[in-house]
Amino acid sequence: MAWLVDDEIMDRVERLEIDFNRYGVDAYGASKRDMARAGTVMAWLYRKYFDVSVHGIEHVPKRGRGMLVGNHSGGLALDAMIVSASMMLEADPPRLVNAMADKFIERVPFGSMILSRLGQLTGLPQHAVRLLNDDRLLMVFPEGHHGTAKLYGDRNTLVRFGTGFVRLALRTKTPIVPFAFIGGGEAIPTIANLEKTGKLLGLPYLPITPYGPPLPRPVALEIYYSEPMVFEGTGNEEDRVIQEYVDKVRDRIAELIERGVRIRKGRGEASQS
């Protein structure tokens, strides 16, 4: 395995503050070996191919439960991979991000098995509650797969948010850390979504770009993390109250996106002058 794994990445996996058994597997099926292998590839993509820059990572709790909540951008799962990599490569100590994958992944051959070995689970409520009660770091995209289906012109917008993440945060007393992922829509500039073709592949849709398949271009990506948001309640509040909390999180993410796009645009104009 040694030739497949970068020493730095292996060291970061070893530093994860997670209980692994003697085989290097945690209670959810995450494997040190598989995470180190995947992490070695992701580190190259993160640093060399996409040249990712991260802002505000100090807002993410170093330990204990937390919920990363952000915008979907980048066709398929580009955003989830890059945000997860940021916490493995940039955070000190490194943290494993457990993402709640859409349940369609269960229809993809070996999809659930591969994801679980990398620390990811399908988006079932009982999985999320258990992870947070175990003081894990959970990543949630309230837009669902409708968020990744945004066309290029809508890449920096937000579609409707689900409300379950707020009830979950209240029920488990978990701080919400909003984030904005910038550049995904440029890396995978979607001009159409083929739903029938996607369903044949076990996906909600298949993104199409001007050059055909949704292969990401080497575009600089950015992540903006915000201060944690903590709401009071039990999770059993009226829909009206929950929606108010959801809107506050959504507004914070929209602000982060606007800020990131403004900085990105200014940087581009400066480079052209």
Side-chain angles (χ1 to χ4, degrees), residues 126-222:
Q126 59 267 32
H127 289 163
V129 171
R130 183 184 169 197
L131 285 163
L132 292 174
N133 285 337
D134 282 347
D135 286 336
R136 295 296 189 95
L137 190 60
L138 184 69
M139 176 166 53
V140 178
F141 293 98
E143 297 173 287
H145 70 261
H146 297 290
T148 55
K150 296 169 194 165
L151 301 183
Y152 180 77
D154 298 320
R155 63 192 181 281
N156 295 315
T157 63
L158 294 171
V159 300
R160 182 179 178 277
F161 273 31
T163 60
F165 76 97
V166 165
R167 291 194 185 276
L168 175 63
L170 291 172
R171 192 170 297 127
T172 57
K173 308 299 181 186
T174 299
I176 292 173
V177 180
F179 71 86
F181 180 69
I182 308 295
E186 296 166 38
I188 302 179
T190 303
I191 59 172
N193 292 299
L194 303 182
E195 294 186 3
K196 291 183 178 179
T197 304
K199 289 179 180 178
L200 291 174
L201 299 173
L203 306 171
Y205 58 86
L206 179 66
I208 297 299
T209 67
Y211 45 86
L215 300 175
R217 302 185 302 155
V219 172
L221 303 175
E222 297 164 70

Side-chain angles (χ1 to χ4, degrees), residues 23-48:
Y23 302 106
V25 178
D26 80 348
Y28 298 92
S31 163
K32 281 186 179 182
R33 178 185 62 187
D34 292 321
M35 286 193 294
R37 286 176 172 172
T40 296
V41 176
M42 277 307 304
W44 181 85
L45 291 171
Y46 184 95
R47 292 166 172 165
K48 304 297 184 181

Side-chain angles (χ1 to χ4, degrees), residues 61-268:
K62 291 182 178 295
R63 295 174 179 84
R65 69 192 63 179
M67 187 184 296
L68 305 180
V69 179
N71 62 306
H72 251 328
S73 176
L76 298 174
L78 179 62
D79 45 16
M81 291 188 291
I82 296 299
V83 171
S84 296
S86 77
M87 295 308 303
M88 180 68 77
L89 299 174
E90 309 265 10
D92 188 21
R95 295 208 65 175
L96 172 63
V97 176
N98 296 107
M100 290 286 95
D102 198 300
K103 286 183 283 188
F104 76 80
I105 200 68
E106 295 177 346
R107 301 194 298 270
V108 178
F110 307 107
S112 294
M113 180 184 69
I114 294 172
L115 283 181
S116 66
R117 289 182 177 177
L118 300 179
Q120 316 310 317
L121 301 172
T122 51
L124 299 176
Q126 59 267 32
H127 289 163
V129 171
R130 183 184 169 197
L131 285 163
L132 292 174
N133 285 337
D134 282 347
D135 286 336
R136 295 296 189 95
L137 190 60
L138 184 69
M139 176 166 53
V140 178
F141 293 98
E143 297 173 287
H145 70 261
H146 297 290
T148 55
K150 296 169 194 165
L151 301 183
Y152 180 77
D154 298 320
R155 63 192 181 281
N156 295 315
T157 63
L158 294 171
V159 300
R160 182 179 178 277
F161 273 31
T163 60
F165 76 97
V166 165
R167 291 194 185 276
L168 175 63
L170 291 172
R171 192 170 297 127
T172 57
K173 308 299 181 186
T174 299
I176 292 173
V177 180
F179 71 86
F181 180 69
I182 308 295
E186 296 166 38
I188 302 179
T190 303
I191 59 172
N193 292 299
L194 303 182
E195 294 186 3
K196 291 183 178 179
T197 304
K199 289 179 180 178
L200 291 174
L201 299 173
L203 306 171
Y205 58 86
L206 179 66
I208 297 299
T209 67
Y211 45 86
L215 300 175
R217 302 185 302 155
V219 172
L221 303 175
E222 297 164 70
I223 307 169
Y224 289 83
Y225 291 107
S226 176
E227 298 88 349
M229 302 178 74
V230 178
F231 300 110
E232 296 296 328
T234 64
N236 297 317
E237 287 71 20
E238 295 180 0
D239 290 346
R240 172 186 56 81
V241 176
I242 297 297
Q243 189 61 55
E244 289 177 0
Y245 292 159
V246 170
D247 290 343
K248 288 182 180 180
V249 176
R250 191 179 188 277
D251 289 345
R252 178 73 63 83
I253 295 171
E255 292 171 2
L256 292 171
I257 293 173
E258 182 180 359
R259 172 190 169 198
V261 170
R262 184 172 62 250
I263 294 173
R264 191 180 184 89
K265 182 178 179 181
R267 189 182 302 120

